């Protein structure tokens, strides 16, 4: 069967973890997301909120007050996990060409024998990249109630949760309309407003070095253009060599590129989220989910190479008072 890959492969258990999800959710891949990632935590996954600690110093003659369990109980938030599946289907010729190109870039591969470990590695990498990209998009713009066919709707993402929490975007936009703000202010003035209007809870975490701006590509480009218009040796070097990490007043600026799919979402195309990295949590589970697996096989009836993954995933904002100006009340987000 020329130009066709017909081998089948199924990963479950420890193989599913080691071969597929650990590489996606650890190391450089995890760092690119810039948030807190949990993998195979016990379900239901419940975490304490990220916050400054209360005063534990007491007069030495206090009696039993430090052992008051109710007084010391921390606030927790449960991460809602959704059982999802990821599926891909390629025509046999397209699949063969993609895999062949991947293998041809390696000098030690026998291209006359497309089988064994090399083939398995190439197929795995193809599907792993697709899953990683889908996780990233759903993490930010997932909306279970979006009916558009091109929408990401496996689970509610961070931007959707923020909107549902306050009914508008004032919580994480320094002004009610970011576009109008940028028309009347420079990008540095807008970013400065986020810092100045931060909630007391968020300001208390500044010194820990985990607070960052998460911004859309337009905001990122505006700030980069501003830097390019400055003068000095450092700017010259930046233009020559590029910038590995943009910073504003010591806070990292992380570009969240959701283009072009964000046009099908119910959230604005441009956004700024100013929060502690540990406050945004992505959780993935393959250990406690019945039927969790990765499968890759050839369907001769349709002449397609197919891939499927089944696992559980969810994300959460642990404390809405740690986002921008924070919420004005303690109401829970709408479901």
């Amino acid at each position: 069967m020329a130009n066709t890959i017909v081998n089948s492969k199924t990963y479950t258990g420890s193989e599913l973890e080691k071969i597929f999800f650990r590489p996606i959710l650890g190391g450089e891949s995890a760092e690119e997301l810039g948030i807190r990632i949990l993998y195979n935590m016990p379900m239901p996954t419940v975490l304490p909120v990220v916050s400054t600690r209360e005063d534990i110093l007491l007069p030495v003659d206090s009696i039993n007050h430090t052992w008051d369990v109710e007084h010391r109980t921390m606030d927790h938030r449960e991460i809602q996990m959704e059982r999802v599946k990821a599926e891909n289907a390629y025509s046999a010729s397209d699949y063969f060409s993609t895999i062949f190109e991947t293998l041809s870039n390696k000098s030690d591969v026998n291209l006359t024998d497309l089988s064994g470990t090399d083939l398995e590695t190439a197929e795995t990498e193809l599907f792993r990249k697709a899953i990683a990209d889908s996780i990233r998009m759903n993490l930010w713009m997932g909306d279970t109630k979006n009916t558009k066919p091109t929408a990401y709707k496996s689970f509610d993402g961070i931007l959707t949760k923020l909107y549902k929490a306050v009914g508008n975007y004032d919580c994480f936009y320094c002004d009610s309309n970011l576009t109008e703000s940028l028309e009347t202010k420079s990008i540095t003035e807008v970013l400065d407003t986020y810092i100045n209007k931060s909630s007391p809870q968020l300001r208390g975490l500044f010194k820990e070095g985990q607070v960052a701006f998460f911004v859309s590509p337009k905001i990122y480009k505006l700030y980069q253009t501003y830097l390019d218009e400055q003068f000095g040796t450092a700017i010259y070097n930046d233009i020559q060599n590029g910038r590995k990490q943009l910073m504003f007043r010591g806070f990292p600026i992380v570009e969240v590129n959701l283009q072009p799919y964000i046009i099908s979402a119910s959230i604005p195309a441009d956004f700024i989220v100013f929060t502690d990295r540990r406050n945004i949590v992505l959780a993935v589970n393959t250990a406690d989910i019945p039927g969790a697996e990765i499968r890759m096989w050839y369907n001769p009836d349709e002449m397609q190479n197919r891939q499927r993954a089944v696992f559980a995933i969810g994300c959460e904002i642990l404390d809405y008072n740690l986002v921008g100006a924070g919420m004005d009340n303690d109401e829970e987000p709408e479901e």
Side-chain angles (χ1 to χ4, degrees):
M1 190 174 293
N3 293 353
T4 303
I5 299 174
V6 297
N7 66 305
S8 299
K9 184 63 180 177
T10 300
Y11 298 98
T12 58
S14 61
E15 281 189 333
L16 181 62
E17 175 178 341
K18 294 176 182 178
I19 296 176
F20 266 86
F21 285 96
R22 283 294 179 192
I24 294 175
L25 304 173
E28 294 182 0
S29 297
E31 290 175 4
E32 289 176 0
L33 291 176
I35 63 170
R36 187 176 179 183
I37 297 177
L38 305 176
Y39 181 56
N40 277 352
M41 290 282 287
M43 295 181 65
T45 301
V46 180
L47 293 175
V49 300
V50 181
S51 62
T52 54
R53 300 293 183 261
E54 63 179 87
D55 183 15
I56 63 172
L57 296 180
L58 298 167
V60 71
D61 57 354
S62 296
I63 301 176
N64 295 333
H65 186 61
T66 53
W67 315 120
D68 186 343
V69 176
E70 181 178 354
H71 177 70
R72 300 299 169 189
T73 300
M74 299 178 67
D75 292 331
H76 292 77
R77 185 174 292 275
E78 180 177 337
I79 302 177
Q80 299 296 324
M81 306 282 283
E82 302 288 343
R83 190 167 181 263
V84 300
K85 64 179 180 179
E87 293 182 330
N88 261 344
Y90 302 85
S91 69
S93 58
D94 288 344
Y95 193 69
F96 178 86
S97 298
T98 302
I99 299 301
F100 189 88
E101 180 183 4
T102 301
L103 291 173
S104 65
N105 292 329
K106 300 181 178 180
S107 59
D108 57 346
V109 174
N110 181 5
L111 296 178
T112 62
D113 180 20
L114 286 181
S115 62
T117 303
D118 292 324
L119 176 60
E120 182 179 318
T121 300
E123 289 184 289
T124 297
E125 183 63 21
L126 178 65
F127 195 27
R128 191 162 54 201
K129 287 181 177 179
I131 292 175
D133 188 59
S134 187
I135 287 177
R136 181 181 65 85
M137 299 296 285
N138 274 285
L139 166 65
W140 288 100
M141 59 182 290
D143 184 354
T144 56
K145 295 184 179 180
N146 194 331
T147 58
K148 297 180 180 178
T150 56
Y152 287 83
K153 43 195 170 187
S154 297
F155 59 95
D156 283 342
I158 297 304
L159 298 178
T160 300
K161 286 177 176 290
L162 283 169
Y163 180 79
K164 289 181 177 180
V166 294
N168 57 58
Y169 293 97
D170 291 345
C171 169
F172 56 105
Y173 287 179
C174 60
D175 296 292
S176 59
N177 190 308
L178 181 61
T179 302
E180 290 182 4
S181 296
L182 291 170
E183 289 175 351
T184 58
K185 302 177 182 178
S186 68
I187 184 60
T188 55
E189 289 177 312
V190 171
L191 295 175
D192 230 351
T193 306
Y194 281 78
I195 299 173
N196 296 334
K197 287 190 175 182
S198 295
S199 66
Q201 295 94 325
L202 182 58
R203 296 186 72 85
L205 297 175
F206 282 3
K207 61 182 180 296
E208 297 186 17
Q210 296 294 321
V211 178
F213 290 95
F214 295 88
V215 305
S216 61
K218 176 182 176 181
I219 305 302
Y220 192 88
K221 184 178 180 180
L222 283 173
Y223 184 56
Q224 184 140 262
T225 300
Y226 164 81
L227 293 177
D228 290 341
E229 292 172 349
Q230 307 309 304
F231 301 95
T233 302
I235 302 302
Y236 174 83
N237 291 333
D238 284 347
I239 294 175
Q240 292 291 315
N241 304 318
R243 302 180 179 94
K244 293 183 180 180
Q245 174 68 73
L246 295 190
M247 306 283 288
F248 179 74
R249 306 206 186 287
F251 298 102
I253 298 182
V254 181
E255 181 181 15
V256 182
N257 191 354
L258 305 178
Q259 305 291 356
Y261 303 102
I262 199 170
I263 60 175
S264 65
S266 57
I267 57 179
D270 294 309
F271 56 86
I272 299 175
V273 179
F274 187 53
T275 189
D276 191 292
R277 294 178 185 270
R278 299 164 296 182
N279 194 39
I280 300 177
V281 179
L282 171 70
V284 177
N285 193 293
T286 60
D288 302 322
I289 302 301
E293 66 171 3
I294 297 283
R295 289 189 61 210
M296 297 181 290
W297 75 99
Y298 177 71
N299 184 310
D301 295 331
E302 301 294 336
M303 298 181 67
Q304 288 182 337
N305 283 87
R306 295 179 175 179
Q307 302 170 322
R308 175 182 295 142
V310 178
F311 55 98
I313 190 170
C315 68
E316 191 55 81
I317 300 161
L318 298 183
D319 189 347
Y320 287 85
N321 284 311
L322 297 181
V323 183
M327 295 175 62
D328 294 331
N329 53 60
D330 297 324
E331 294 181 3
E332 290 296 320
E334 297 178 4
E335 295 297 334

